[in-house]
Amino acid sequence: MPELRFDPLRREWVAYATERNDRTFLPKDFCPLCPSGPGGQSEVPLDTFDVVVFENRFPAFGPDRDHGRPVRPPSTGCEVVVYTPEHELTLAKLPPDRVRLLIDVWADRYMELGARPEVAYVYIFENKGEEVGVTLHHPHGQIYALPFVPPFAQAELDAGRERLDGDGRCLHCEEIEREEAGPRTVFASASMIGFVPHAARWPYEVHVYPRRHMGSIADLDGSERAELADALLHTTRAYDSHFGFSTPYVMALHQSPTDGQAWPQAHVHFELYPPHRRPDRLKFLAGVELGAGTFVNDTRPEETAALLRRAAELAVSNPIGSA
């Protein structure tokens, strides 16, 4: 069973999930996420579907155990979100209405999982590509219902609380204002903006924000959800256009915790981290990042943003599926 241990030196939780060491790894003859029809052997025994969600067979989080007995409530485990029945697609190749539906699914799961008393944070993310450790290529993401607020989200919330208590302003809203029409902006629409952040850790890191201040993905209205779908497609297609191949990345959704407390400083947003710094070279986390916790970026955010803007223009002029 998965286990959580608390590190008092770093004041953070570490998860142990030994069963995951034997999980399905890049199968060639069978995909567990493809629809296999009623009675089929995949995780999706359906003829077809739009978006499907199910419990992960190899969860990373579960109850702590002492001599084989749970010592705290389960975290409700982990869910898999399969974006499409079509194995060869990616998020960047999905039609806008499918991504819009996916956003509705994320919002539904945030509300459903977050309503459970043992869940403090609903973490929604996607790992894409073998370079970031994917073991199944079929387009999918994951949702972890966590019994704690994870460190990166907590750090943002603490900084946001300090600013809110100091001058009554949202730290994220200030960042949006600073980046608006600046050299690091990749795209902007009526309700969404995407930019390479001022202190980007990854060379082609992009943050996607709704302009309106809101805590979670469930707070977006219909038009904002449609524009968010376009924003995610704009970003992922810009990556593919720039690098010239289906680009690996990690996509993370940061939003308000669900622990019953008030989090007025939370401002929902997506962060995307491609591991490539050039088409033929990856950014690896080495001694200073892993041992000291300080990132070294081999590129400048203003320059990578300009490259992504240009790539996005090319992606728009040569849409997927065109001759």
Side-chain angles (χ1 to χ4, degrees), residues 153-172 174 213 256-257 259-267:
Q154 187 67 64
E156 287 183 356
L157 291 164
D158 290 345
R161 171 65 74 177
E162 182 177 342
R163 177 57 57 86
L164 190 66
D165 290 345
D167 60 16
R169 299 208 65 197
C170 168
L171 191 62
H172 299 278
E174 288 184 342
H213 181 83
S256 180
D259 57 357
Q261 300 183 44
W263 298 94
Q265 73 273 38
H267 191 135

PDB file of all heavy atoms in Angstrom, residues 153-172 174 213 256-257 259-267:
ATOM      1  N   ALA A 153       2.513  24.756  -4.320  1.00  0.00           N
ATOM      2  CA  ALA A 153       1.264  25.491  -4.144  1.00  0.00           C
ATOM      3  C   ALA A 153       1.274  26.254  -2.830  1.00  0.00           C
ATOM      4  O   ALA A 153       0.836  27.413  -2.769  1.00  0.00           O
ATOM      5  CB  ALA A 153       0.077  24.530  -4.211  1.00  0.00           C
ATOM      6  N   GLN A 154       1.787  25.635  -1.775  1.00  0.00           N
ATOM      7  CA  GLN A 154       1.823  26.299  -0.476  1.00  0.00           C
ATOM      8  C   GLN A 154       2.715  27.531  -0.509  1.00  0.00           C
ATOM      9  O   GLN A 154       2.384  28.571   0.081  1.00  0.00           O
ATOM     10  CB  GLN A 154       2.318  25.326   0.595  1.00  0.00           C
ATOM     11  CG  GLN A 154       2.232  25.877   2.011  1.00  0.00           C
ATOM     12  CD  GLN A 154       0.798  26.073   2.460  1.00  0.00           C
ATOM     13  OE1 GLN A 154       0.046  25.099   2.585  1.00  0.00           O
ATOM     14  NE2 GLN A 154       0.406  27.316   2.707  1.00  0.00           N
ATOM     15  N   ALA A 155       3.848  27.436  -1.207  1.00  0.00           N
ATOM     16  CA  ALA A 155       4.742  28.592  -1.305  1.00  0.00           C
ATOM     17  C   ALA A 155       4.060  29.755  -2.016  1.00  0.00           C
ATOM     18  O   ALA A 155       4.175  30.919  -1.588  1.00  0.00           O
ATOM     19  CB  ALA A 155       6.028  28.200  -2.037  1.00  0.00           C
ATOM     20  N   GLU A 156       3.334  29.461  -3.107  1.00  0.00           N
ATOM     21  CA  GLU A 156       2.600  30.512  -3.806  1.00  0.00           C
ATOM     22  C   GLU A 156       1.520  31.115  -2.907  1.00  0.00           C
ATOM     23  O   GLU A 156       1.338  32.338  -2.877  1.00  0.00           O
ATOM     24  CB  GLU A 156       1.947  29.949  -5.070  1.00  0.00           C
ATOM     25  CG  GLU A 156       2.898  29.641  -6.201  1.00  0.00           C
ATOM     26  CD  GLU A 156       2.167  29.149  -7.433  1.00  0.00           C
ATOM     27  OE1 GLU A 156       0.922  28.980  -7.371  1.00  0.00           O
ATOM     28  OE2 GLU A 156       2.825  28.923  -8.456  1.00  0.00           O
ATOM     29  N   LEU A 157       0.825  30.263  -2.190  1.00  0.00           N
ATOM     30  CA  LEU A 157      -0.246  30.749  -1.321  1.00  0.00           C
ATOM     31  C   LEU A 157       0.301  31.604  -0.183  1.00  0.00           C
ATOM     32  O   LEU A 157      -0.292  32.623   0.183  1.00  0.00           O
ATOM     33  CB  LEU A 157      -1.028  29.558  -0.765  1.00  0.00           C
ATOM     34  CG  LEU A 157      -1.864  28.786  -1.799  1.00  0.00           C
ATOM     35  CD1 LEU A 157      -2.271  27.425  -1.243  1.00  0.00           C
ATOM     36  CD2 LEU A 157      -3.086  29.590  -2.219  1.00  0.00           C
ATOM     37  N   ASP A 158       1.447  31.206   0.365  1.00  0.00           N
ATOM     38  CA  ASP A 158       2.058  31.997   1.440  1.00  0.00           C
ATOM     39  C   ASP A 158       2.497  33.369   0.932  1.00  0.00           C
ATOM     40  O   ASP A 158       2.276  34.398   1.594  1.00  0.00           O
ATOM     41  CB  ASP A 158       3.264  31.245   2.021  1.00  0.00           C
ATOM     42  CG  ASP A 158       2.851  30.013   2.816  1.00  0.00           C
ATOM     43  OD1 ASP A 158       1.660  29.882   3.160  1.00  0.00           O
ATOM     44  OD2 ASP A 158       3.733  29.177   3.096  1.00  0.00           O
ATOM     45  N   ALA A 159       3.115  33.394  -0.258  1.00  0.00           N
ATOM     46  CA  ALA A 159       3.529  34.674  -0.832  1.00  0.00           C
ATOM     47  C   ALA A 159       2.325  35.541  -1.159  1.00  0.00           C
ATOM     48  O   ALA A 159       2.332  36.763  -0.939  1.00  0.00           O
ATOM     49  CB  ALA A 159       4.372  34.433  -2.092  1.00  0.00           C
ATOM     50  N   GLY A 160       1.273  34.901  -1.678  1.00  0.00           N
ATOM     51  CA  GLY A 160       0.056  35.640  -1.986  1.00  0.00           C
ATOM     52  C   GLY A 160      -0.617  36.193  -0.748  1.00  0.00           C
ATOM     53  O   GLY A 160      -1.145  37.314  -0.762  1.00  0.00           O
ATOM     54  N   ARG A 161      -0.613  35.424   0.329  1.00  0.00           N
ATOM     55  CA  ARG A 161      -1.203  35.896   1.575  1.00  0.00           C
ATOM     56  C   ARG A 161      -0.441  37.095   2.129  1.00  0.00           C
ATOM     57  O   ARG A 161      -1.030  38.063   2.610  1.00  0.00           O
ATOM     58  CB  ARG A 161      -1.210  34.757   2.606  1.00  0.00           C
ATOM     59  CG  ARG A 161      -1.591  35.183   4.017  1.00  0.00           C
ATOM     60  CD  ARG A 161      -3.021  35.678   4.084  1.00  0.00           C
ATOM     61  NE  ARG A 161      -3.959  34.578   4.000  1.00  0.00           N
ATOM     62  CZ  ARG A 161      -5.280  34.727   4.087  1.00  0.00           C
ATOM     63  NH1 ARG A 161      -5.794  35.945   4.246  1.00  0.00           N
ATOM     64  NH2 ARG A 161      -6.092  33.684   3.995  1.00  0.00           N
ATOM     65  N   GLU A 162       0.893  37.040   2.035  1.00  0.00           N
ATOM     66  CA  GLU A 162       1.706  38.154   2.522  1.00  0.00           C
ATOM     67  C   GLU A 162       1.389  39.433   1.757  1.00  0.00           C
ATOM     68  O   GLU A 162       1.253  40.511   2.353  1.00  0.00           O
ATOM     69  CB  GLU A 162       3.187  37.811   2.389  1.00  0.00           C
ATOM     70  CG  GLU A 162       4.135  38.876   2.905  1.00  0.00           C
ATOM     71  CD  GLU A 162       5.588  38.458   2.807  1.00  0.00           C
ATOM     72  OE1 GLU A 162       5.857  37.249   2.666  1.00  0.00           O
ATOM     73  OE2 GLU A 162       6.462  39.350   2.860  1.00  0.00           O
ATOM     74  N   ARG A 163       1.248  39.332   0.418  1.00  0.00           N
ATOM     75  CA  ARG A 163       0.924  40.509  -0.372  1.00  0.00           C
ATOM     76  C   ARG A 163      -0.491  40.996  -0.069  1.00  0.00           C
ATOM     77  O   ARG A 163      -0.731  42.202   0.062  1.00  0.00           O
ATOM     78  CB  ARG A 163       1.074  40.194  -1.868  1.00  0.00           C
ATOM     79  CG  ARG A 163       0.685  41.349  -2.793  1.00  0.00           C
ATOM     80  CD  ARG A 163       1.486  42.624  -2.488  1.00  0.00           C
ATOM     81  NE  ARG A 163       2.902  42.411  -2.586  1.00  0.00           N
ATOM     82  CZ  ARG A 163       3.605  42.499  -3.710  1.00  0.00           C
ATOM     83  NH1 ARG A 163       3.010  42.823  -4.834  1.00  0.00           N
ATOM     84  NH2 ARG A 163       4.900  42.275  -3.703  1.00  0.00           N
ATOM     85  N   LEU A 164      -1.427  40.069   0.044  1.00  0.00           N
ATOM     86  CA  LEU A 164      -2.811  40.451   0.309  1.00  0.00           C
ATOM     87  C   LEU A 164      -2.935  41.146   1.660  1.00  0.00           C
ATOM     88  O   LEU A 164      -3.639  42.154   1.797  1.00  0.00           O
ATOM     89  CB  LEU A 164      -3.705  39.209   0.261  1.00  0.00           C
ATOM     90  CG  LEU A 164      -5.216  39.447   0.271  1.00  0.00           C
ATOM     91  CD1 LEU A 164      -5.652  40.162  -0.998  1.00  0.00           C
ATOM     92  CD2 LEU A 164      -5.961  38.121   0.408  1.00  0.00           C
ATOM     93  N   ASP A 165      -2.231  40.621   2.655  1.00  0.00           N
ATOM     94  CA  ASP A 165      -2.277  41.242   3.984  1.00  0.00           C
ATOM     95  C   ASP A 165      -1.562  42.594   3.991  1.00  0.00           C
ATOM     96  O   ASP A 165      -1.908  43.486   4.775  1.00  0.00           O
ATOM     97  CB  ASP A 165      -1.626  40.325   5.017  1.00  0.00           C
ATOM     98  CG  ASP A 165      -2.462  39.082   5.303  1.00  0.00           C
ATOM     99  OD1 ASP A 165      -3.645  39.068   4.935  1.00  0.00           O
ATOM    100  OD2 ASP A 165      -1.914  38.127   5.890  1.00  0.00           O
ATOM    101  N   GLY A 166      -0.560  42.757   3.078  1.00  0.00           N
ATOM    102  CA  GLY A 166       0.217  43.992   3.055  1.00  0.00           C
ATOM    103  C   GLY A 166      -0.488  45.151   2.395  1.00  0.00           C
ATOM    104  O   GLY A 166      -0.598  46.245   2.975  1.00  0.00           O
ATOM    105  N   ASP A 167      -0.987  44.950   1.173  1.00  0.00           N
ATOM    106  CA  ASP A 167      -1.621  46.067   0.462  1.00  0.00           C
ATOM    107  C   ASP A 167      -2.973  45.711  -0.147  1.00  0.00           C
ATOM    108  O   ASP A 167      -3.527  46.479  -0.926  1.00  0.00           O
ATOM    109  CB  ASP A 167      -0.682  46.605  -0.626  1.00  0.00           C
ATOM    110  CG  ASP A 167      -0.310  45.556  -1.676  1.00  0.00           C
ATOM    111  OD1 ASP A 167      -0.999  44.517  -1.749  1.00  0.00           O
ATOM    112  OD2 ASP A 167       0.664  45.772  -2.409  1.00  0.00           O
ATOM    113  N   GLY A 168      -3.482  44.539   0.188  1.00  0.00           N
ATOM    114  CA  GLY A 168      -4.823  44.176  -0.265  1.00  0.00           C
ATOM    115  C   GLY A 168      -4.900  43.740  -1.711  1.00  0.00           C
ATOM    116  O   GLY A 168      -6.005  43.591  -2.242  1.00  0.00           O
ATOM    117  N   ARG A 169      -3.764  43.496  -2.345  1.00  0.00           N
ATOM    118  CA  ARG A 169      -3.757  43.138  -3.768  1.00  0.00           C
ATOM    119  C   ARG A 169      -3.397  41.669  -3.972  1.00  0.00           C
ATOM    120  O   ARG A 169      -2.745  41.047  -3.136  1.00  0.00           O
ATOM    121  CB  ARG A 169      -2.765  44.012  -4.534  1.00  0.00           C
ATOM    122  CG  ARG A 169      -3.073  45.499  -4.500  1.00  0.00           C
ATOM    123  CD  ARG A 169      -2.545  46.170  -5.751  1.00  0.00           C
ATOM    124  NE  ARG A 169      -3.225  45.687  -6.946  1.00  0.00           N
ATOM    125  CZ  ARG A 169      -2.748  45.856  -8.188  1.00  0.00           C
ATOM    126  NH1 ARG A 169      -1.587  46.470  -8.377  1.00  0.00           N
ATOM    127  NH2 ARG A 169      -3.411  45.412  -9.218  1.00  0.00           N
ATOM    128  N   CYS A 170      -3.819  41.136  -5.116  1.00  0.00           N
ATOM    129  CA  CYS A 170      -3.494  39.765  -5.502  1.00  0.00           C
ATOM    130  C   CYS A 170      -2.145  39.751  -6.203  1.00  0.00           C
ATOM    131  O   CYS A 170      -1.933  40.472  -7.184  1.00  0.00           O
ATOM    132  CB  CYS A 170      -4.576  39.199  -6.425  1.00  0.00           C
ATOM    133  SG  CYS A 170      -4.110  37.654  -7.245  1.00  0.00           S
ATOM    134  N   LEU A 171      -1.229  38.942  -5.712  1.00  0.00           N
ATOM    135  CA  LEU A 171       0.104  38.844  -6.296  1.00  0.00           C
ATOM    136  C   LEU A 171       0.046  38.380  -7.744  1.00  0.00           C
ATOM    137  O   LEU A 171       0.798  38.849  -8.602  1.00  0.00           O
ATOM    138  CB  LEU A 171       0.945  37.884  -5.455  1.00  0.00           C
ATOM    139  CG  LEU A 171       2.439  37.815  -5.724  1.00  0.00           C
ATOM    140  CD1 LEU A 171       3.107  39.159  -5.461  1.00  0.00           C
ATOM    141  CD2 LEU A 171       3.081  36.730  -4.849  1.00  0.00           C
ATOM    142  N   HIS A 172      -0.873  37.461  -8.035  1.00  0.00           N
ATOM    143  CA  HIS A 172      -1.005  36.942  -9.397  1.00  0.00           C
ATOM    144  C   HIS A 172      -1.599  37.996 -10.330  1.00  0.00           C
ATOM    145  O   HIS A 172      -1.168  38.120 -11.485  1.00  0.00           O
ATOM    146  CB  HIS A 172      -1.876  35.689  -9.390  1.00  0.00           C
ATOM    147  CG  HIS A 172      -1.326  34.576  -8.573  1.00  0.00           C
ATOM    148  ND1 HIS A 172      -0.364  33.705  -9.029  1.00  0.00           N
ATOM    149  CD2 HIS A 172      -1.602  34.189  -7.305  1.00  0.00           C
ATOM    150  CE1 HIS A 172      -0.081  32.820  -8.098  1.00  0.00           C
ATOM    151  NE2 HIS A 172      -0.807  33.095  -7.036  1.00  0.00           N
ATOM    152  N   GLU A 174      -1.221  41.153 -10.059  1.00  0.00           N
ATOM    153  CA  GLU A 174      -0.126  42.085 -10.330  1.00  0.00           C
ATOM    154  C   GLU A 174       0.811  41.535 -11.402  1.00  0.00           C
ATOM    155  O   GLU A 174       1.298  42.274 -12.256  1.00  0.00           O
ATOM    156  CB  GLU A 174       0.657  42.357  -9.045  1.00  0.00           C
ATOM    157  CG  GLU A 174      -0.082  43.214  -8.040  1.00  0.00           C
ATOM    158  CD  GLU A 174       0.763  43.537  -6.831  1.00  0.00           C
ATOM    159  OE1 GLU A 174       1.780  42.840  -6.609  1.00  0.00           O
ATOM    160  OE2 GLU A 174       0.435  44.497  -6.109  1.00  0.00           O
ATOM    161  N   HIS A 213      -9.941  37.391 -11.329  1.00  0.00           N
ATOM    162  CA  HIS A 213      -9.443  36.721 -10.133  1.00  0.00           C
ATOM    163  C   HIS A 213     -10.448  35.672  -9.678  1.00  0.00           C
ATOM    164  O   HIS A 213     -11.608  35.977  -9.398  1.00  0.00           O
ATOM    165  CB  HIS A 213      -9.202  37.734  -9.006  1.00  0.00           C
ATOM    166  CG  HIS A 213      -8.661  37.095  -7.761  1.00  0.00           C
ATOM    167  ND1 HIS A 213      -7.327  36.824  -7.585  1.00  0.00           N
ATOM    168  CD2 HIS A 213      -9.283  36.654  -6.638  1.00  0.00           C
ATOM    169  CE1 HIS A 213      -7.140  36.258  -6.407  1.00  0.00           C
ATOM    170  NE2 HIS A 213      -8.311  36.135  -5.818  1.00  0.00           N
ATOM    171  N   SER A 256      -7.032  26.775  -5.638  1.00  0.00           N
ATOM    172  CA  SER A 256      -7.310  26.897  -4.215  1.00  0.00           C
ATOM    173  C   SER A 256      -7.387  25.540  -3.534  1.00  0.00           C
ATOM    174  O   SER A 256      -7.966  24.595  -4.078  1.00  0.00           O
ATOM    175  CB  SER A 256      -8.631  27.645  -4.010  1.00  0.00           C
ATOM    176  OG  SER A 256      -8.927  27.775  -2.641  1.00  0.00           O
ATOM    177  N   PRO A 257      -6.799  25.405  -2.339  1.00  0.00           N
ATOM    178  CA  PRO A 257      -6.980  24.177  -1.564  1.00  0.00           C
ATOM    179  C   PRO A 257      -8.449  23.940  -1.226  1.00  0.00           C
ATOM    180  O   PRO A 257      -9.292  24.844  -1.318  1.00  0.00           O
ATOM    181  CB  PRO A 257      -6.159  24.440  -0.290  1.00  0.00           C
ATOM    182  CG  PRO A 257      -5.147  25.462  -0.696  1.00  0.00           C
ATOM    183  CD  PRO A 257      -5.868  26.341  -1.680  1.00  0.00           C
ATOM    184  N   ASP A 259      -9.448  22.468   1.825  1.00  0.00           N
ATOM    185  CA  ASP A 259      -9.395  22.035   3.218  1.00  0.00           C
ATOM    186  C   ASP A 259     -10.397  22.754   4.107  1.00  0.00           C
ATOM    187  O   ASP A 259     -10.350  22.639   5.331  1.00  0.00           O
ATOM    188  CB  ASP A 259      -7.989  22.236   3.779  1.00  0.00           C
ATOM    189  CG  ASP A 259      -7.505  23.682   3.681  1.00  0.00           C
ATOM    190  OD1 ASP A 259      -8.251  24.520   3.129  1.00  0.00           O
ATOM    191  OD2 ASP A 259      -6.392  23.959   4.134  1.00  0.00           O
ATOM    192  N   GLY A 260     -11.311  23.501   3.517  1.00  0.00           N
ATOM    193  CA  GLY A 260     -12.338  24.188   4.286  1.00  0.00           C
ATOM    194  C   GLY A 260     -11.950  25.573   4.761  1.00  0.00           C
ATOM    195  O   GLY A 260     -12.794  26.294   5.309  1.00  0.00           O
ATOM    196  N   GLN A 261     -10.688  25.965   4.558  1.00  0.00           N
ATOM    197  CA  GLN A 261     -10.256  27.300   4.947  1.00  0.00           C
ATOM    198  C   GLN A 261     -10.501  28.285   3.803  1.00  0.00           C
ATOM    199  O   GLN A 261     -10.736  27.893   2.658  1.00  0.00           O
ATOM    200  CB  GLN A 261      -8.772  27.289   5.304  1.00  0.00           C
ATOM    201  CG  GLN A 261      -8.401  26.367   6.454  1.00  0.00           C
ATOM    202  CD  GLN A 261      -6.928  26.460   6.799  1.00  0.00           C
ATOM    203  OE1 GLN A 261      -6.359  27.540   6.879  1.00  0.00           O
ATOM    204  NE2 GLN A 261      -6.300  25.310   7.007  1.00  0.00           N
ATOM    205  N   ALA A 262     -10.420  29.567   4.112  1.00  0.00           N
ATOM    206  CA  ALA A 262     -10.548  30.607   3.088  1.00  0.00           C
ATOM    207  C   ALA A 262      -9.177  30.869   2.473  1.00  0.00           C
ATOM    208  O   ALA A 262      -8.187  31.028   3.187  1.00  0.00           O
ATOM    209  CB  ALA A 262     -11.095  31.882   3.713  1.00  0.00           C
ATOM    210  N   TRP A 263      -9.144  30.910   1.148  1.00  0.00           N
ATOM    211  CA  TRP A 263      -7.892  31.153   0.422  1.00  0.00           C
ATOM    212  C   TRP A 263      -8.109  32.280  -0.594  1.00  0.00           C
ATOM    213  O   TRP A 263      -8.050  32.044  -1.807  1.00  0.00           O
ATOM    214  CB  TRP A 263      -7.419  29.874  -0.276  1.00  0.00           C
ATOM    215  CG  TRP A 263      -7.110  28.757   0.670  1.00  0.00           C
ATOM    216  CD1 TRP A 263      -7.944  27.756   1.069  1.00  0.00           C
ATOM    217  CD2 TRP A 263      -5.871  28.543   1.353  1.00  0.00           C
ATOM    218  NE1 TRP A 263      -7.307  26.925   1.947  1.00  0.00           N
ATOM    219  CE2 TRP A 263      -6.029  27.382   2.145  1.00  0.00           C
ATOM    220  CE3 TRP A 263      -4.642  29.218   1.365  1.00  0.00           C
ATOM    221  CZ2 TRP A 263      -5.009  26.873   2.945  1.00  0.00           C
ATOM    222  CZ3 TRP A 263      -3.620  28.721   2.161  1.00  0.00           C
ATOM    223  CH2 TRP A 263      -3.811  27.554   2.948  1.00  0.00           C
ATOM    224  N   PRO A 264      -8.387  33.501  -0.137  1.00  0.00           N
ATOM    225  CA  PRO A 264      -8.682  34.594  -1.074  1.00  0.00           C
ATOM    226  C   PRO A 264      -7.498  34.968  -1.949  1.00  0.00           C
ATOM    227  O   PRO A 264      -7.688  35.614  -2.982  1.00  0.00           O
ATOM    228  CB  PRO A 264      -9.062  35.754  -0.145  1.00  0.00           C
ATOM    229  CG  PRO A 264      -8.359  35.456   1.146  1.00  0.00           C
ATOM    230  CD  PRO A 264      -8.411  33.961   1.273  1.00  0.00           C
ATOM    231  N   GLN A 265      -6.285  34.578  -1.579  1.00  0.00           N
ATOM    232  CA  GLN A 265      -5.100  34.902  -2.373  1.00  0.00           C
ATOM    233  C   GLN A 265      -4.888  33.941  -3.539  1.00  0.00           C
ATOM    234  O   GLN A 265      -4.064  34.201  -4.408  1.00  0.00           O
ATOM    235  CB  GLN A 265      -3.849  34.902  -1.482  1.00  0.00           C
ATOM    236  CG  GLN A 265      -3.348  33.522  -1.036  1.00  0.00           C
ATOM    237  CD  GLN A 265      -4.002  33.016   0.243  1.00  0.00           C
ATOM    238  OE1 GLN A 265      -5.187  33.231   0.453  1.00  0.00           O
ATOM    239  NE2 GLN A 265      -3.238  32.359   1.091  1.00  0.00           N
ATOM    240  N   ALA A 266      -5.626  32.833  -3.576  1.00  0.00           N
ATOM    241  CA  ALA A 266      -5.448  31.856  -4.656  1.00  0.00           C
ATOM    242  C   ALA A 266      -5.967  32.415  -5.975  1.00  0.00           C
ATOM    243  O   ALA A 266      -7.038  33.026  -6.023  1.00  0.00           O
ATOM    244  CB  ALA A 266      -6.168  30.558  -4.303  1.00  0.00           C
ATOM    245  N   HIS A 267      -5.224  32.195  -7.051  1.00  0.00           N
ATOM    246  CA  HIS A 267      -5.620  32.611  -8.398  1.00  0.00           C
ATOM    247  C   HIS A 267      -5.285  31.435  -9.324  1.00  0.00           C
ATOM    248  O   HIS A 267      -4.111  31.160  -9.579  1.00  0.00           O
ATOM    249  CB  HIS A 267      -4.862  33.867  -8.813  1.00  0.00           C
ATOM    250  CG  HIS A 267      -5.389  34.513 -10.057  1.00  0.00           C
ATOM    251  ND1 HIS A 267      -5.591  35.879 -10.176  1.00  0.00           N
ATOM    252  CD2 HIS A 267      -5.756  34.000 -11.263  1.00  0.00           C
ATOM    253  CE1 HIS A 267      -6.041  36.168 -11.375  1.00  0.00           C
ATOM    254  NE2 HIS A 267      -6.148  35.029 -12.061  1.00  0.00           N
TER     255      HIS A 267
END
